[in-house]
Amino acid sequence: MCRVVMLDPAVVPPAPARPRPWSGNQAALLYFAVFPAFALALLAYLSAPLIPSIAVAAVATPNGTVSLGVWGWCADLRDAGGNYNGTRCSAHRAFGGSMAGSLDALPEAVRGVADVSAALNDPYVVANTVMHLFGCIALWLTVVWTLTAAGAWNAQRADTALKWTRWSFAGAFWSAVFVLIAWALDLGYFTRVQSAAVNADGSQPSVSAGAAIWMNLCAWLLVAGAFAVRVAWSKWLPQPSWARDPADFLPGGQAPVLASDEQPPTWESLNLSPAPVDEKPPVDDSGMAV
């Protein structure tokens, strides 16, 4: 006898409990890494002469220290006795302007530093300026997107929040790329100045890395670290063993041993009941004529 099993339409088989990769208000956590990174990258961009105390490279000469930045230079001058003799800064260099014209205006006491202009050629200086600008713009956009995503999560608009969270972490990735390139160009800036700078008497001055290099490095570590943590969090997010590919975490693709609470859904868990069967007695047709 055939038995028909009817599925109760109110009972839906449970879906595998695989977590959504972008769930949760992670954008609010990203903000605490991206905003300080933006502040550091912006300060590095606004180095000497805009902010005299922040430089890419500092050249110490017997007559004073010349701080070279993205936009020009500042010189802390000293007299023959080593006494402070004032600070002079160059004019703001044009976006695509040459560093040589700015260095030609150095005071006579530290004029030897102007020889680095040959090492800091125009294409290199412009590329350095552009990458600093791209890094700051990318970080600012990421800050805005993280705030937008956090606000959407707070307003219980999950679809909008998930979209802006994706944008936030994409922005964090590209921000890390641009800041890393700007930091590498700053390092090149420093090494070029170190190899080309000379004192007025022809001796080699002491050249040290300025604060802008360390600020860019810290900005990159913050935003790249936040993105790396997000990727690792997504990869190792806890989930039932049966929802994963055994080959991903067992050698040789062996099937995992499942705990009782991690078993996949079965038909018995759906509370199925057999359909009623018509039990009418058979018809006696022995007396019928053929």
Side-chain angles (χ1 to χ4, degrees), residues 182-203:
W183 175 72
L185 290 173
D186 279 351
L187 276 182
Y189 188 117
F190 164 68
T191 57
R192 288 175 179 228
V193 171
Q194 191 176 39
S195 62
V198 292
N199 290 321
D201 58 1
S203 61

Side-chain angles (χ1 to χ4, degrees), residues 3-113:
R3 300 183 62 190
V4 179
V5 177
M6 300 297 293
L7 179 63
D8 186 352
V11 178
V12 178
R18 192 177 184 87
R20 299 182 69 175
W22 298 97
S23 59
N25 187 3
Q26 299 156 13
L29 301 178
L30 179 63
Y31 172 83
F32 292 103
V34 175
F35 184 76
F38 167 70
L40 290 170
L42 182 62
L43 288 173
Y45 184 53
L46 301 177
S47 56
L50 300 180
I51 303 179
S53 59
I54 299 177
V56 178
V59 183
T61 72
N63 298 319
T65 300
V66 180
S67 300
L68 299 171
V70 175
W71 299 102
W73 55 265
C74 281
D76 293 330
L77 303 177
R78 298 188 179 278
D79 57 22
N83 300 314
Y84 178 70
N85 200 23
T87 298
R88 289 184 57 185
C89 293
S90 66
H92 180 273
R93 180 180 61 82
F95 187 83
S98 171
M99 198 71 173
S102 176
L103 290 170
D104 287 341
L106 278 168
E108 188 65 32
V110 290
R111 179 62 62 84
V113 180

Side-chain angles (χ1 to χ4, degrees), residues 30 169 172 221-236:
L30 179 63
F169 282 98
L221 290 174
L222 280 170
V223 69
F227 183 80
V229 168
R230 176 62 188 85
V231 172
W233 187 2
S234 176
K235 182 176 178 58
W236 302 110

Side-chain angles (χ1 to χ4, degrees), residues 241-242 256-264:
S241 300
W242 54 264
V257 179
L258 303 178
S260 59
D261 58 346
E262 289 190 338
Q263 295 292 337

